[in-house]
Amino acid sequence: MSKRLDPAVFSIPPDLAFSDALVDGVLKQFGDDRLEMAQGLILVPNNRAALALQDAFVRRSAKGLLLPRLVPIGDPDLGENIGAALDFMDGAQIPPAIDPLQRQMILARKLQQIIPVERMGRLDGAQAMRLAAELGRVIDQLTIERKSSSDLRDIDDGDLSQYWAESLTLLSVIIDEWPQELAKRGTIDLADRRNRQLDRLADGWRLVPPKGFVIAAGISTTAPAIADLLKVIARMERGQIVLAGLDFGMKEAAWDSLLSLDPPSRTESHPQFHLRLLIDAMGFTRNDVQLWSGGARTKDGTARGEAISRAMDPAKFTQEWAHLEPAQRRLKGVHALEVSTPAEEAQTIALALRATLETPGKTAALVTPDRALARRVSAHLKRWSVEADDSAGKPLSATPPGTLLLALANAAADQFSPVSLLTLLKHPLVTVGSDRPVWLDGVRKLDLALRGPRAAPHLAGTTAHLAAGDERGRETREAARAWWPVAEGLLGPLEAIARNTPTIALFIAALRDTASALAGDAVWAGEDGRAAADLIASLEAQAAEGPQDVSIASLPHLLRDQLDALAIRPARGGHPRLFIWGLLEAKLQTADLMVLGGLNETVWPQMPSPDPWLAPAIRRQLNLPSLERRIGLSAHDLVSALGAKEVLLTRTKRDTRSPAIASRFWLRLETFADGFDAPSLRYDLLARQIDHADSNRAARPKPTPPSGERPLCISVTEVDGLKADPYSFYAKKMLKLSALNAPGEEPDARWRGSFLHDVLHKWGEEDGFADGALKARLNTAFDQSGLHPVVRAMWQPRFDEAAETFENRMAELRSQGRMPLAMEVKGALDIRGVTLTGRADRIDVLPDGSLAIIDYKTGEPPSDAQVLQGFALQLGLIGLLADAGSFAGVAGQSSVFEYWSQTRVKGRPYGRFHSPTEGKGKSKSDPAHFVAKMTDHFEAAVAKWLLGEAPFTAKLHPERAYSEFDQLMRYDEWQGRDG
């Protein structure tokens, strides 16, 4: 074959749209002959680049055009895609590549077998799968760089720590055994297969080049097989290499400094490093590279490209910036906005993209490695019914089928706790269709029934909870109990598998069957459903070769990792002029406005993930790409995007958790240009104003209903709330609202109070306050409560200890002649036209015939000062009802007032007794006037809010108020702003 004397290597500068410039040059050379175009072959780095080139050809094909073949060099079926170009080769077939999931499963099982327990403890299935994924990447990298197990054995590990030395030993063992493992299956690694395909292609083209032209465009990887193929193409008579963004203006000394003989001084984070490495690997120099003939450069674009080149100088050359003219340091067309929060950044970018649509034909793209930012911007654009074309799509774990599978796995691993169970049953795919309203009605009933302390684990625990309990909430539980067997029957098979330490295959099969039972075909429909079905089928098929020691708790993590790894991109595109690109997708594309978002450290550039297998020193010895190489690639991506007509850089001063540090690229550009210019339209200021609602900020609510509509009945427990927070009283009493507990929460004061009152009442009514009976009564109550064992274990010891204290106190009182007279009795009394109602926990009769009023508490009893100031009237008002003879069977005057609390004073047992009238202290009330004093406080409150026209002001005394209705009163909007 004939060869070129000089290699055909070209580069397209960053200020030109790579795809359009490439197509322009191709059409100039071959566009006149349609058959010539059809016989051509263009190798590109990935599928996205192929689509970008295809779109560029379409934009230039006004009269119709036969496209050359566009072949992604990274495609697993590279040889098959090249097709006829391989006709010269013999019939020897390259073995198929092992399925990636199968390989991960096998490696995970091997890691469980060979990693010592003392090194990492018990290696669970999910941990093994994550380590196997990292191990697979290391194996691929070694294969791509043509490193073998002998190279690992030659490493000098004398200076390595014990951890890295052990990792190297384990890796060597696996690398030695791995070829035999593959040979048993008649497969090879995908990276090995691609190496062989590329080698075969390079060998074949050396002898018999294709008839048509061959162009390798935008390929920047330095892998030996790729570099060898590119070298062959560059020497072919009809072959050409087109690089992206080679810096022709970089000084020779700076260019030479990129590759030093001393590895630690390598500037791998420089944007030109990988191109320098590739050109050297092909055996050429920068002088062999020419400027591509396609595209028309502008004066401004050229000037900006030169400025960006100088801005990215290696560190030791930045001192020359001081000698540059101001015009040489100007980044014309590059603007920047620094905002406060991620939410503001997303709104700012969305406004910038939306403004682009006002100019006909103008395009805009957000380029960012931050997927959270991309999702926020996409959501903001929907405000204007604009659906941006997001090239990255979304992970399968975020789609409806993925979230249903994860909800199933989490519920099974969490033993069907109330929260995970309700999350699953409320999923939008469950019982889709005409039956869904009936299903949701049942789920809502179950939701109400499960609110409060967490039920016992498993489905049986929920069944027991619905059947247990006292009269409170019985109607709600019975309504849910009538529907619950339907859901229990659907989830029972999955629970049966989950409770018996399942294998991965059994668990995945149970997930599949249960998902189908709950959602039918809806879970497997659509592109995301088909992807989920394929993944489940693959997991089930390959699970037998995977890790064997798998806990049920780790299976949801294992499933999530697999779902996260799959991206789903809708078949239909979004808006034809607005795009959201990741760095890889943006590499060979451009738009009129390029918004480069998320320019903070750890975002752009992203910090390299630590490699658990190869220490940096080992990587240097093997001459593998260091982890910092990715930073250089990120820098090159930034430089390429900076070549657009208009560029807007954005960053936030803080992330969602803490202050953020500006990206090293941002700081370098800002320092070089002596500050950024702001865009003519300040999108950041618009973003702050677009949702600004100063005029709509809520004021402290003060509802003032007419006096004739105010309630004239109030209980002793409601009076304190009326004085501390009149608005909450208004919401409960007049609006008939009540706050719901969260499902499966910790037992709150209300639940503990009801539980203790019920037990103490039965102790007196059924056991006659017998010694030792209270603890037995508590055990029975806990047995019948259906509580989760953890909740019971936390609270029963406290109640048991308090019960012993109560029993001792009861025995002491009996010895003094004080006897219980009434328990849980109700009474009512008319005071100035208002009915006061109350329930006395217990009333004792003293030897002199007077009464002792007792109030049971599970929390801290009110302080003496709180009682004296009139914010704890319950004890005194019960005394008022008793003195007036409002309780059946109770006669006499109250003289003793006590709180019996389940809490304790530090250092003492649980169970304490406190009286606001007995003992010494400035805040103690006079027992002779205690009832009268509490009555005065009560009458003043009644006259003000129930008989008068005072507004029900929110949080009148916030230090005494609860927070049940903070959201309703919009507390956060006015607190601190109201005088």
Side-chain angles (χ1 to χ4, degrees), residues 532-555:
D534 290 342
L535 175 61
I536 291 297
S538 183
L539 280 170
E540 196 173 355
Q542 308 294 348
E545 299 198 77
Q548 301 304 302
D549 189 7
V550 183
S551 69
I552 184 64
S554 73
L555 285 169

Side-chain angles (χ1 to χ4, degrees), residues 537-613:
S538 183
L539 280 170
E540 196 173 355
Q542 308 294 348
E545 299 198 77
Q548 301 304 302
D549 189 7
V550 183
S551 69
I552 184 64
S554 73
L555 285 169
H557 302 291
L558 188 154
L559 179 62
R560 175 175 282 280
D561 289 343
Q562 297 301 320
L563 291 168
D564 284 342
L566 292 174
I568 303 299
R569 189 174 188 275
R572 62 176 182 84
H575 196 284
R577 293 197 283 132
L578 289 188
F579 314 96
I580 297 177
W581 293 329
L583 303 190
L584 187 63
E585 291 80 18
K587 199 170 186 66
L588 304 183
Q589 304 180 88
T590 193
D592 296 323
L593 170 65
M594 295 283 272
V595 182
L596 312 185
L599 277 162
N600 282 333
E601 282 294 296
T602 74
V603 178
W604 193 343
Q606 293 179 315
M607 288 299 99
S609 301
D611 183 348
W613 292 102

